[in-house]
Amino acid sequence: MDLSDFTATPIDSIDLTSTQIQRALHFSQSAPEAIRWSQYLSALADNGFEAWLANRIPSLPVRRLTELATGLWRINGFRVQTIVCLEEDEILVPVLDLDRPETAAHLYVAVVVQEETSQVLITGMIRHDQIIAQDWPREVSPNQPAAYRIPLANLSPSTNQLLLTLRCADPATIPQPVPVRLRMNVGQWLNQQLDDLATALTWVLMPPNLAPSAMRSAEATPEQTLTQILHQLGDETLITPDQTSSAYQDLPIGELRLYVTIGAIGDDEWSFLAILGTQSGAALPVNLQLSITCADQRLFHETVEVARSQSYLYAQTIGDQTESFQVTITLPDGREHNLPEFAFQA
Amino acid sequence: MSRVSRYWNLIRLDATGHRRIQEQADAKRFFQQQFGGIDEPVQGELQAQLLTQMRQGEDRARQYAQLCLRCFISSQIEQVCINLEQQFGLTHGFSREELFPLVLNDDGKFAGRGGTDRTYVSVAENILHGFESDKGSLTTWTIRLVKHNRDLNQFLLESGVCLLSDWAILNDTTPSKLRRVLTDFQPMSAAEVDAAVLLLDSYHNVYRADRLIARQAGAKGACPAPTPNQLERMQTTLSKLQRLADRLRQYRIASRTGRMPTVSIDAVSNHGEGLSLGDRLAAPSQETSEPSAPESFLTAYRQQFGSTLDAALESVVETRLKTQKGDKAQHFLTALQLFHCQGQSMGAIAKAVGLQAQFQVSRLMNLKAFREDVRHQMIDRLRQFVKQTVGDLITPDRLAQLDAQIEIALNEQITDLLQAAAAQAQSPKDYVTGTVFSRTLCQLIDRLHKSDQPLR
């Protein structure tokens, strides 16, 4: 009689508690229906991984880098990406995520999720340098980013290597993609000019010195929308309307549109106002975040806290004309979108 | 039991829960009337005739034919339980007697007209009720249904033996994966593949969403078979889905073979051998390259090795004792002592600490994790030294080498390393496994037992 379909539970599998399961269910509820199941499994994997970390390396510093279910962690100086492993034979690693500093990790950890038995098992690990050293078959399917298919046989099968690396290795020995700091010269906007990068990114320049206006219309142009927002902001803005220039970009993520208004203040300083809205004028999704950083220091951070409450987020600052600002948009699912730096001078 | 007597001997449990063979006189008479003249009846033909009688015969014949088949099914159910016990019972601590009550619950009586007073439909009746001859042989059908019996699966899961349901397998399969399996592993025509992908898609849309809702409402355990309502929404049938799941299950079994083998702890005797089984089980896998020049490393280390091992063991044991809840801490220490210092088998240890099964002991001790923790602690403690030796940055590959070298050193026989101690004639206790690791551990446990203030 063939009983090969029965398997013995590995002794280091993790039993999920009902609290962990409910947390994952709660989290997945806000996801679109098409990805709700996979978000649920990812959240289960993350909860199980967290429990495993607490059990095996309780003394090491552990921090979730993004929200639940995106699986990016910082552990003792390492960036660690967990990957839900549905199959018994391979994991899928999104190709683009490996190249971008904000999504790349030192270590990729395969986590088997058995939803039916509420169990999770850490099943293997592969390093970033080991992944990019080889050509893997690619998974290309509609609505999904292209991914490498990495056979589990190519992973370190035990947790020994993962723990050993986390506990004793030096993160610097695993090279990570270097951030390419792109800069846009927005000072030129005052001369009604876009530089090459802004042009390539399809920024659209608007007429200079847009005046705030309460005028509403059914199908507002970007100019009308911006002047209306400026009107609403009123005294809260730092910009002086007579020496400004504005441009906008329709972002390749989530139907979002970013308006930027800059202005010179005297000979030394400049003002920078970033407004994040939607292309249709609809309300922003809850948990969307907008932040401005300068020299790696976060200056402003705004979040949509209540659903359907806001149609835009804004952040503004003033700096020396030698200073440049970085805008980061964090999507509700935790993905970060970094824009090139905004510099006043070339 | 002769082959044909399976058709009139009902295997059932008596009031005290013991297995009994109960001859059903009516069934025997009926069977011999029907098939008496045939020397070597063919099973399939026999069963087909009995099924026809059961469905189309006159009243009495219907009942007798059904009883014959229920007797046959009872013998098959018993066989599944026996096989499960043989394959998993020892390591997972269960016997066939514990499985019988879950599935062997037919009393041979009939509902209504002065028949049975039991309030449930027996597993055998259910199996028979759902059987159609297009589902293969009755034997295959019975084995399949017994293997997937919910009560049985729940019991086995608690003993650490898992059988995923068809529905969990379908939940876990992405359309692209299905396409690959059906193209590469079990080739089908392109049209059939497309149809299967569509089927999976409609299954996902209905079943996954409902599962999430059921989970929110607190549902636990195995995924139930789709209800008629769900099947209607998926626009398919149960057997189509089961056939799809079967293919995927075959693929899983094939891809699993060779990976994650089940290691029976008692499979190898650990007495009188150089390496204890614990040593062997926990040795780093061959994933890393052969350690290069262990001699120079160990020579350079020898001074620090003993004291570092001692400190690492103490720290790891202390942490374990702190994190184990309740009696577990004491059980852990006892199990460790019995295994490493007295060379007892996992089965014996289970009894000593009041656990039912070996796998529970394995879970309690988690020897592999224990040794990993000790080696890593040692490396961590010797890090400064290692840095000077191999340069400023420690790469993961270099660490893996060190780890493997330390493992080798831990497995060295104590007589090789501690000749000096023996010469001082303080004849040490006769530890069964004489490795550096187990000897140092046993000395630590001795100290813990002697000291008035345990580490905790």
Side-chain angles (χ1 to χ4, degrees), chain B residues 138-155:
Chain B
L138 182 61
T139 307
T140 316
W141 174 251
T142 302
I143 293 174
R144 181 193 168 89
L145 259 65
V146 177
K147 273 160 77 171
H148 284 272
N149 179 277
R150 277 178 78 90
D151 294 335
L152 184 75
N153 287 163
Q154 186 56 37
F155 176 89

Side-chain angles (χ1 to χ4, degrees), chain B residues 425-444:
Chain B
Q426 300 169 335
S427 71
K429 241 180 170 174
D430 188 21
Y431 295 113
V432 174
T433 60
T435 64
V436 172
F437 181 83
S438 55
R439 165 61 85 76
T440 315
L441 175 61
C442 293
Q443 284 168 343
L444 171 68

Side-chain angles (χ1 to χ4, degrees), chain A residues 256-333:
Chain A
L256 294 173
R257 176 177 291 165
L258 183 72
Y259 304 90
V260 166
T261 300
I262 56 120
I265 304 175
D267 291 336
D268 305 324
E269 292 185 314
W270 68 298
S271 64
F272 177 81
L273 167 66
I275 298 168
L276 181 63
T278 57
Q279 290 163 28
S280 63
L284 293 171
V286 73
N287 281 334
L288 183 76
Q289 298 165 41
L290 171 71
S291 56
I292 299 181
T293 45
C294 177
D296 285 337
Q297 219 183 345
R298 191 150 83 176
L299 303 176
F300 294 95
H301 181 72
E302 299 294 326
T303 307
V304 180
E305 274 161 6
V306 180
R308 292 186 201 85
S309 63
Q310 283 167 275
S311 58
Y312 61 88
L313 281 174
Y314 77 97
Q316 57 184 343
T317 185
I318 288 176
D320 283 347
Q321 289 188 0
T322 55
E323 283 180 315
S324 56
F325 303 115
Q326 172 98 42
V327 171
T328 302
I329 295 163
T330 310
L331 298 178
D333 65 8

Side-chain angles (χ1 to χ4, degrees), chain B residues 180-378:
Chain B
R180 269 204 301 282
V181 172
L182 297 184
T183 311
D184 303 342
F185 179 67
Q186 294 173 322
M188 289 172 101
S189 74
E192 285 174 311
V193 174
D194 287 344
V197 170
L198 275 179
L199 174 62
L200 182 67
D201 196 47
S202 61
Y203 172 85
H204 281 170
N205 286 341
V206 173
Y207 195 93
R208 282 175 170 179
D210 288 1
R211 173 82 174 164
L212 287 173
I213 293 168
R215 276 290 209 180
Q216 264 152 11
K220 286 197 175 104
C223 298
T227 62
N229 169 282
Q230 285 176 319
L231 290 171
E232 202 180 311
R233 280 149 62 209
M234 297 171 199
Q235 295 184 318
T236 187
T237 63
L238 207 58
S239 52
K240 272 189 191 166
L241 290 170
Q242 279 169 336
R243 273 201 296 278
L244 190 61
D246 261 350
R247 287 172 176 275
L248 291 164
R249 193 186 293 279
Q250 292 313 317
Y251 175 78
R252 281 175 172 240
I253 293 169
S255 68
R256 192 168 60 220
T257 316
R259 285 189 61 83
M260 301 190 290
T262 316
V263 181
S264 165
I265 302 279
D266 269 351
V268 190
S269 157
N270 62 344
H271 294 265
E273 302 251 359
L275 296 185
S276 78
L277 189 62
D279 292 334
R280 269 186 245 152
L281 283 177
S285 50
Q286 292 306 310
E287 65 191 83
T288 50
S289 50
E290 278 297 301
S292 61
E295 301 79 16
S296 64
F297 173 77
L298 288 179
T299 320
Y301 248 146
R302 190 139 293 183
Q303 292 296 317
Q304 293 99 328
F305 196 89
S307 59
T308 310
L309 171 60
D310 217 29
L313 271 171
E314 192 165 324
S315 152
V316 173
V317 169
E318 185 181 9
T319 311
R320 288 286 172 105
L321 292 180
K322 260 191 218 148
T323 51
Q324 302 271 17
K325 292 190 181 81
D327 287 344
K328 272 193 175 174
Q330 194 51 49
H331 288 164
F332 168 71
L333 203 58
T334 308
L336 217 51
Q337 203 261 346
L338 292 176
F339 185 79
H340 277 288
C341 318
Q342 299 189 15
Q344 303 240 359
S345 72
M346 291 302 225
I349 297 172
K351 282 202 190 84
V353 297
L355 290 173
Q356 283 190 343
Q358 287 176 23
F359 103 100
Q360 289 168 321
V361 180
S362 308
R363 244 189 145 154
L364 173 72
M365 291 208 282
N366 203 343
L367 289 171
K368 186 172 153 294
F370 181 71
R371 283 179 80 108
E372 282 173 7
D373 287 354
V374 171
R375 290 197 308 270
H376 299 175
Q377 274 266 352
M378 290 181 71

